[in-house]
Amino acid sequence: MTGGEIFVWELIGTAILILLGAGVVANVTLKDSLGNNGGWLLINFGWGFAVFAGASIAAPSGAHLNPAVTLGLAVAEKVEWGQVPIYVAGQMVGAFLGAVLCWLTYKLQFDNHDAPENTLGIFSTGPTVDNKPWNVVTEVIGTFVLVLWILLSPGAKTVDGVLSLGNSALGYAAVAFLVIGIGNSLGGPTGYAINPARDLGPRLAYAVLPIKGKGAANWGYSWVPVVGPLIGGALAGLLAVALV
């Protein structure tokens, strides 16, 4: 696959991921939306299905949708290092565009929301307790679980003439289940970015979108959901190399 093809598929898949993921948060957050006050579980399931949709569409490129996943695969020698910047570029552009599409979908609800200064959380993550070193630790752990599962999850294989499908029978739904599980179990402290593009792309979009009365983009925290997931992805890649 050419670099251009990788870029396009990762862009489209990540845009769908963010459109649906940020979309479910907007649905729960904005007062004039039918999903208002739908709760944390609805958000987690929404993000899980967003992963399923985005990954299914981006299957031709391997459906990374996440620089931490790309880094983990490169460390584990499953992706060429020269392709890493192409994957990341597609993911970042796609995340930005997905956030813009989310805003367009909910434009009227944003305009009528009672607290527009508190809408950053629709697009990007933030901690419930602001302690950046520990917030990084939380993001490292969540991302480590995600990337290690991707690297070590059993696929289809034949043993003694018997076909075992492993998790491959579930396709990208298996990853969706994992993301829902991470959100339910590990997402409470920081909102589980577990993906630098998922956080930084929409944060950039929030900073430039004409949302009436919006608050600040909280750039002082923005490095946490970038650095933490990259560390977690790299550690998962190193462990996978050591185990396999």
Side-chain angles (χ1 to χ4, degrees):
M1 175 169 285
T2 67
E5 290 171 328
I6 290 172
F7 178 85
V8 169
W9 285 116
E10 288 293 309
L11 184 156
I12 295 172
T14 309
I16 295 298
L17 165 68
I18 300 303
L19 170 60
L20 299 182
V24 72
V25 185
N27 193 17
V28 169
T29 301
L30 299 173
K31 73 177 182 68
D32 290 333
S33 177
L34 293 175
N36 182 239
N37 293 323
W40 180 243
L41 192 58
L42 176 59
I43 289 174
N44 287 342
F45 272 93
W47 270 107
F49 293 134
V51 169
F52 173 74
S56 298
I57 290 170
S61 63
H64 297 187
L65 312 185
N66 182 342
V69 171
T70 302
L71 178 61
L73 290 169
V75 170
E77 300 180 351
K78 296 182 180 297
V79 168
E80 296 178 13
W81 281 101
Q83 293 181 331
V84 170
I86 301 170
Y87 273 98
V88 173
Q91 293 154 6
M92 285 296 302
V93 175
F96 182 92
L97 294 177
V100 173
L101 291 172
C102 172
W103 171 72
L104 289 172
T105 303
Y106 283 92
K107 170 65 165 59
L108 298 179
Q109 287 70 32
F110 274 104
D111 289 346
N112 293 328
H113 191 56
D114 290 337
E117 69 277 7
N118 296 327
T119 52
L120 174 62
I122 292 172
F123 296 89
S124 294
T125 63
T128 57
V129 178
D130 190 359
N131 183 316
K132 293 178 180 60
W134 279 111
N135 301 150
V136 169
V137 170
T138 297
E139 288 292 332
V140 168
I141 292 171
T143 312
F144 177 84
V145 172
L146 171 67
V147 178
L148 189 68
W149 185 93
I150 290 171
L151 290 170
L152 299 183
S153 178
K157 62 181 179 179
T158 301
V159 179
D160 296 329
V162 178
L163 175 64
S164 173
L165 293 175
N167 286 328
S168 64
L170 293 171
Y172 291 115
V175 185
F177 294 151
L178 175 65
V179 170
I180 293 169
I182 291 173
N184 286 340
S185 300
L186 305 175
T190 60
Y192 73 117
I194 60 175
N195 180 341
R198 168 265 175 276
D199 193 275
L200 185 56
R203 195 181 298 270
L204 288 167
Y206 183 79
V208 301
L209 282 171
I211 300 172
K212 294 194 305 184
K214 69 180 180 182
N218 194 12
W219 293 112
Y221 181 78
S222 63
W223 64 272
V224 172
V226 173
V227 172
L230 290 176
I231 294 173
L235 291 175
L238 290 172
L239 181 58
V241 168
L243 292 175
V244 176

